[in-house]
Amino acid sequence: MSDNDGKKTLGVRGGPRSGNVKQSFSHGRTKNVVVETKRKRVVVPKPGAANSGAGKSGQTAGDPSRRPAGISDAEMERRMKALQAAKAREVEEAATRVAEEKAREEERMRRREEAEAKEREEREREQALKARAEEEARKKQEAEDAAKRAAAAAAAPPEDGEQKTPARAQKSAPTGGAAAPGRKKEREDDRTRSKSRDDGRRSGKLTVNQALSGREGGRTKSLAAMKRKQERARQKAMGAPVEREKVVRDVRVPETIVVSELANRMAERVADVVKSLMKMGMMVTQNQPIDADTAELIVEEFGHRIQRVSDSDVEDVIQHVEEDEGDLKPRPPVITIMGHVDHGKTSLLDAIRNAKVVSGEAGGITQHIGAYQVKTESGSTLTFLDTPGHAAFTSMRSRGAQVTDIVVLVVAADDSVMPQTIEAINHAKAAKVPMIVAINKCDKPAADPNKVRAELLQYEVIVEEMSGDVQDVEVSAVTGQGLDELLESIALQAEILELKANPDRAAEGAVIEAQLDIGRGPVATVLVQKGTLKQGDIFVVGEQWGRVRALVDDKGERVQEAGPSVPVEVLGLNGTPEAGDVLNVVDTEAQAREIAEYRESAAKDKRAAAGAATTLDQLMQKAKEDENVKELPILVKADVQGSAEAIVQAMEKIGNEEVRVRVLHYGVGAITETDVGLAEASGAPIMGFNVRANASARNSANQKGVEIRYYSVIYDLVDDVKAAASGLLSAEIREHFIGYAQIKEVFKVSGVGKVAGCLVTEGVARRSAGVRLLRDDVVIHEGTLKTLKRFKDEVKDVQSGQECGMAFENYDDIRPGDVIEIFEREEVERNLE
């Protein structure tokens, strides 16, 4: 007896071939009988062994002949248990499905019963209404018959000795008592006659008796109608299609329309419309939209008339009418002060207004559009717009030029023509408005007005001193020199223009600036161009709308109305409009809301279309570009809309093909907790321009580690963002060649490999430097040195003219005559220009 893998084997000798019989045991139970002969080994199943393990593992587990080779009893039992568990799960799932199906069927039956009950109630209600209507009609008819009988009895003489008089009939009619037998008979006769009249009306026939007795009832069908009805019935009986008269409709079609809606508006079958579209090659369903051009073809094919409408038709309520010359009245001119930064524009306007606006500007630089009204000594009123001169405020200068009548170009006599001066000239020419050149700072010793006049010639601005048509005045905001001449020149130019407007129409104006005031809400500075803006007017401006709650003039005083060329602050908007938007007064609040919603939807679609790739190639190209470009995300909050736009435009100009600045969000008003949440999610800093974060936003920023930076001068903001973006640029790698060495001989050294015996021909060879192997002036390998030895010592560098031994890191293909180029790499930081 021997032990073999946990089984006991009993050997029995004997038999005709002297074979060995072994009986296997497993855990005390007899499994099989194994007979070993000299030629082969035979496994004989023991009777009853197939069912011995059926209680646990089934027939397969107890019968090794049916079990796959190499699988133990425990594994087989585990598999059989898993199979039984799977079957049990299947049974449970089937029972669950049956229960769910039964529940669904019950729910369907319940809903069907509810629908049937509802339909039955509706049917009963309709029948009751119909019965009530019939009863009312019958009573009405009886009343009319009674009235006719009373009239006939009054007109006819009494017959058969009947002595009933009209007075007695009238007296007996309202009594409401029991009717006499004669009255009952009359009522029965009336009902019979009424029924016969109804039968006659239904049949469409008119007899002579009915015509003579006047009991033909109501209006009957004509003979032609009867013929048409008989013809339709005959055609229907013969199986011919009954053609009805075509009704041509006016179909209103917007820019896009759903197929089912188009069929509904034409009163045609949806299947017919879909079939027509499929004939045109468009495989669409009834719920898919089609464009207006396709809808026009379908409408014309069905024989209807099309009326093209657009979503923009909601703006038709804004009236653009030609003004009558008799209604026009003189209005003050609008003068825009333009020029380069720090050339004294605001100071010049302060001198005219006797105010100190420049002292309130951060850094002495104008960063908003200011609108003011000035009354001259002669009594005339002038409206001035003061625009910023910094390079970032291009859009503000452009808006100032578009709403103005006269441009005053301020040029410093000691600084001459500068980039923003040229830009202001281009804006004035694009707006086609006259220009007056004010040469400022003439009181300074370095002032040279003639140089300014000469340089303006390059830009086709020829002043009167140079025999041109552009007025020029030498002024000084400090001493007041030439201010009277400047005002006189402006008044002369305004008189030539003959500026007029109609103050008695609906107001129209332009938004000069907009901001979100903490106490007053959204506030817009509006320059009224036409009509008169009054308190209580309902208006729409860009994507916003509102009702004029208050009007504040440039001196901070409340006014009831503002006429043409008057700048006012408007309160009562539902949101902050964009600077440059047009304000229009409308009749109702519903119109204003509808126009604003349409404009907002159109702007959203436009932004989505601009940011979306139209084709797969464009999408892949954009993804590839975005993958290679690093972005610096920022959030911008400013005090007014114009400043926010200027900052965003300046941010878009920062960057190159490797890095760019991405403005996640910009707006006006204080920094809120929502801004901090967006900045945290995007990993972006918040740039506040003349605004501050409220208490909750500050606490949230401290907790979340969001950086908030405050600025009052746009120079500093642009420079800081540019420096931060420069940090995203990868350093530039520059190579400096420090030496060359020529391989004289190659040696094999055990443990090192091939070592080149070299002579340094130029410069120096350093252990830490990079090397290139050149063979016939072609680079074969580039890497680093594994060893640099002189004689038997490891050295850091070898000077020119000395011999040394070099071995390359992980490279052995070196030959005599090759040249080794030694170089060093240097990282240089890059900056955005």
Side-chain angles (χ1 to χ4, degrees):
M1 186 184 296
S2 62
D3 187 11
N4 185 15
D5 296 335
K7 297 181 180 180
K8 295 179 181 181
T9 306
L10 178 63
V12 180
R13 294 185 180 273
R17 296 178 182 270
S18 301
N20 296 330
V21 179
K22 296 182 181 181
Q23 193 168 9
S24 299
F25 294 89
S26 176
H27 304 289
R29 294 196 309 272
T30 302
K31 298 287 288 185
N32 307 313
V33 176
V34 182
V35 180
E36 293 184 359
T37 64
K38 292 181 180 180
R39 294 184 180 180
K40 60 181 179 180
R41 183 173 182 269
V42 182
V43 180
V44 181
K46 185 178 179 181
N51 299 323
S52 62
K56 292 185 179 180
S57 307
Q59 186 176 357
T60 305
D63 190 355
S65 63
R66 299 185 181 182
R67 185 175 60 204
I71 297 180
S72 63
D73 295 341
E75 176 65 19
M76 201 65 193
E77 288 179 7
R78 187 186 65 78
R79 293 189 180 185
M80 293 302 296
K81 287 180 180 178
L83 181 61
Q84 292 174 359
K87 290 181 177 179
R89 280 198 302 274
E90 289 181 0
V91 172
E92 291 178 0
E93 290 175 357
T96 304
R97 284 195 299 271
V98 171
E100 290 178 353
E101 185 64 28
K102 185 177 180 181
R104 283 196 294 268
E105 185 64 27
E106 291 177 355
E107 180 67 17
R108 281 197 296 269
M109 291 296 294
R110 185 182 63 80
R111 289 182 180 176
R112 188 180 304 157
E113 290 175 357
E114 290 179 356
E116 289 177 354
K118 188 175 181 181
E119 186 178 354
R120 192 163 50 250
E121 291 177 0
E122 290 289 337
R123 198 161 49 244
E124 292 175 356
R125 190 182 300 112
E126 290 178 359
Q127 290 176 356
L129 291 174
K130 186 176 179 181
R132 191 180 303 133
E134 291 176 354
E135 182 66 21
E136 291 176 356
R138 186 182 61 79
K139 289 182 179 179
K140 184 177 179 181
Q141 186 64 34
E142 288 180 357
E144 291 178 356
D145 293 341
K148 287 181 181 180
R149 282 197 309 273
E159 296 179 1
D160 298 334
E162 185 180 356
Q163 301 296 327
K164 189 175 181 180
T165 62
R168 289 178 59 190
Q170 291 177 1
K171 184 176 179 182
S172 61
T175 57
R183 290 294 302 275
K184 289 183 179 180
K185 186 177 181 181
E186 288 179 1
R187 289 180 182 176
E188 290 176 359
D189 294 341
D190 291 339
R191 290 196 188 100
T192 305
R193 284 194 295 269
S194 177
K195 185 176 180 181
S196 64
R197 282 201 304 271
D198 293 341
D199 295 341
R201 185 165 56 251
R202 281 194 295 270
S203 64
K205 296 178 181 180
L206 180 63
T207 63
V208 177
N209 293 332
Q210 288 176 348
L212 293 176
S213 62
R215 294 180 298 179
E216 68 277 7
R219 179 175 176 269
T220 59
K221 292 183 179 180
S222 65
L223 184 60
M226 292 302 300
K227 287 182 177 180
R228 286 196 298 269
K229 183 177 179 180
Q230 291 174 357
E231 182 66 20
R232 285 196 298 269
R234 187 179 63 81
Q235 290 181 356
K236 187 175 181 181
M238 294 176 62
V242 180
E243 295 184 0
R244 294 194 175 184
E245 185 178 353
K246 181 71 175 179
V247 179
V248 179
R249 291 179 170 83
D250 293 327
V251 183
R252 295 170 61 88
V253 177
E255 295 175 357
T256 58
I257 185 171
V258 180
V259 174
S260 58
E261 177 63 21
L262 178 61
N264 187 27
R265 294 186 182 186
M266 293 190 299
E268 302 286 350
R269 294 175 62 244
V270 179
D272 295 339
V273 178
V274 173
K275 189 185 299 183
S276 298
L277 288 168
M278 288 184 175
K279 289 179 181 178
M280 295 167 57
M282 296 182 64
M283 301 296 143
V284 296
T285 63
Q286 63 176 354
N287 297 322
Q288 286 182 294
I290 57 175
D291 59 277
D293 295 335
T294 307
E296 183 175 0
L297 296 176
I298 295 296
V299 171
E300 291 176 352
E301 181 179 345
F302 280 87
H304 300 288
R305 293 185 296 269
I306 187 170
Q307 289 183 357
R308 297 285 289 267
V309 296
S310 174
D311 294 339
S312 60
D313 291 344
V314 297
E315 295 187 342
D316 292 343
V317 296
I318 300 175
Q319 299 177 357
H320 299 282
V321 296
E322 294 292 334
E323 302 291 350
D324 189 2
E325 288 292 335
D327 298 334
L328 299 180
K329 297 179 182 179
R331 65 172 179 84
V334 180
I335 303 103
T336 301
I337 310 292
M338 302 178 74
H340 192 72
V341 63
D342 203 28
H343 275 202
K345 299 181 297 300
T346 307
S347 300
L348 182 63
L349 189 56
D350 286 347
I352 296 173
R353 299 177 60 234
N354 296 322
K356 298 293 180 185
V357 175
V358 71
S359 60
E361 294 283 359
I365 303 170
T366 301
Q367 300 178 100
H368 311 97
I369 288 184
Y372 316 98
Q373 271 201 325
V374 176
K375 280 195 174 183
T376 62
E377 295 180 357
S378 60
S380 59
T381 303
L382 305 177
T383 300
F384 283 95
L385 298 181
D386 184 18
T387 60
H390 186 263
F393 296 98
T394 302
S395 58
M396 286 193 184
R397 284 189 293 275
S398 176
R399 284 197 300 273
Q402 289 170 359
V403 299
T404 191
D405 301 315
I406 302 170
V407 170
V408 174
L409 181 65
V410 179
V411 187
D414 61 342
D415 201 13
S416 193
V417 178
M418 299 300 286
Q420 268 61 60
T421 309
I422 302 168
E423 185 185 281
I425 293 171
N426 294 333
H427 284 318
K429 288 182 177 179
K432 297 180 180 179
V433 292
M435 187 188 312
I436 298 174
V437 178
I439 304 174
N440 196 17
K441 302 184 180 181
C442 289
D443 57 317
K444 288 193 173 184
D448 188 359
N450 290 326
K451 180 184 177 184
V452 174
R453 296 186 180 99
E455 290 190 358
L456 287 174
L457 292 173
Q458 304 177 39
Y459 308 102
E460 299 178 0
V461 178
I462 306 172
V463 299
E464 290 178 346
E465 290 283 335
M466 299 285 189
S467 302
D469 56 353
V470 178
Q471 299 182 69
D472 67 309
V473 183
E474 296 181 9
V475 297
S476 172
V478 177
T479 63
Q481 171 192 344
L483 294 183
D484 294 337
E485 296 179 15
L486 177 61
L487 293 176
E488 185 179 346
S489 300
I490 293 172
L492 177 62
Q493 188 66 58
E495 187 177 349
I496 294 173
L497 293 175
E498 295 182 353
L499 302 171
K500 294 182 179 181
N502 180 13
D504 301 325
R505 52 157 287 175
E508 181 180 328
V511 177
I512 303 301
E513 194 58 272
Q515 61 182 341
L516 185 62
D517 194 281
I518 295 176
R520 301 184 297 172
V523 180
T525 303
V526 177
L527 178 66
V528 181
Q529 295 173 312
K530 300 175 183 177
T532 302
L533 185 63
K534 302 175 183 178
Q535 188 170 343
D537 282 348
I538 300 170
F539 62 89
V540 59
V541 50
E543 301 174 23
Q544 312 298 333
W545 65 278
R547 183 189 295 270
V548 179
R549 198 171 70 234
L551 296 173
V552 182
D553 63 6
D554 59 312
K555 300 179 183 63
E557 299 176 356
R558 286 205 172 194
V559 294
Q560 294 298 318
E561 59 182 27
S565 301
V566 177
V568 287
E569 285 187 342
V570 179
L571 282 71
L573 294 101
N574 72 324
T576 307
E578 301 285 337
D581 287 342
V582 177
L583 181 143
N584 295 99
V585 173
V586 295
D587 296 332
T588 63
E589 187 175 310
Q591 291 176 351
R593 187 185 294 109
E594 189 176 9
I595 295 171
E597 289 175 354
Y598 161 70
R599 290 178 177 177
E600 184 179 2
S601 175
K604 189 182 296 182
D605 294 343
K606 186 176 180 182
R607 287 191 295 268
T614 55
T615 64
L616 183 60
D617 294 338
Q618 292 177 355
L619 186 65
M620 296 180 66
Q621 182 67 23
K622 188 174 184 298
K624 187 176 180 181
E625 291 175 358
D626 292 345
E627 183 180 351
N628 298 330
V629 177
K630 296 179 181 178
E631 287 186 344
L632 173 64
I634 64 171
L635 271 78
V636 177
K637 294 301 285 290
D639 55 342
V640 295
Q641 189 72 33
S643 299
E645 289 180 2
I647 292 169
V648 171
Q649 290 174 1
M651 295 300 102
E652 291 175 352
K653 296 178 182 177
I654 298 175
N656 54 18
E657 65 277 1
E658 295 182 33
V659 64
R660 66 186 175 198
V661 178
R662 181 184 174 197
V663 180
L664 298 176
H665 170 70
Y666 75 94
V668 295
I671 299 170
T672 63
E673 201 167 352
T674 305
D675 300 326
V676 175
L678 177 59
E680 183 207 10
S682 308
I686 301 176
M687 307 295 179
F689 186 76
N690 286 334
V691 295
R692 295 292 181 267
N694 54 38
S696 60
R698 285 196 301 271
N699 296 334
S700 179
N702 293 333
Q703 293 173 1
K704 298 176 180 178
V706 176
E707 182 182 10
I708 301 177
R709 294 192 178 188
Y710 302 115
Y711 299 92
S712 57
V713 178
I714 197 170
Y715 285 120
D716 301 334
L717 191 152
V718 174
D719 291 344
D720 284 1
V721 174
K722 190 178 292 185
S726 299
L728 296 177
L729 289 173
S730 58
E732 182 181 357
I733 307 298
R734 295 181 181 175
E735 291 185 355
H736 300 285
F737 296 99
I738 60 175
Y740 289 91
Q742 188 172 10
I743 299 177
K744 296 296 185 180
E745 192 60 54
V746 178
F747 306 96
K748 289 186 178 179
V749 179
S750 60
V752 178
K754 290 185 178 181
V755 176
C758 307
L759 173 65
V760 180
T761 58
E762 183 180 341
V764 61
R766 287 200 179 95
R767 170 74 177 79
S768 59
V771 292
R772 290 191 184 94
L773 182 64
L774 306 181
R775 185 173 298 158
D776 298 329
D777 294 329
V778 177
V779 177
I780 302 300
H781 173 70
E782 179 178 340
T784 57
L785 289 176
K786 181 164 61 175
T787 179
L788 176 64
K789 290 188 176 182
R790 179 161 170 77
F791 299 107
K792 294 184 179 181
D793 300 327
E794 189 78 26
V795 294
K796 291 184 178 180
D797 53 33
V798 178
Q799 299 297 324
S800 176
Q802 297 180 350
E803 294 181 345
C804 61
M806 295 185 189
F808 289 90
E809 192 78 42
N810 300 326
Y811 190 76
D812 286 339
D813 184 17
I814 52 178
R815 302 175 188 175
D818 291 348
V819 177
I820 299 175
E821 184 180 73
I822 304 108
F823 61 91
E824 287 183 342
R825 288 190 175 95
E826 178 187 7
E827 291 188 355
V828 180
E829 291 187 0
R830 298 162 60 196
N831 294 317
L832 291 171
E833 298 180 358

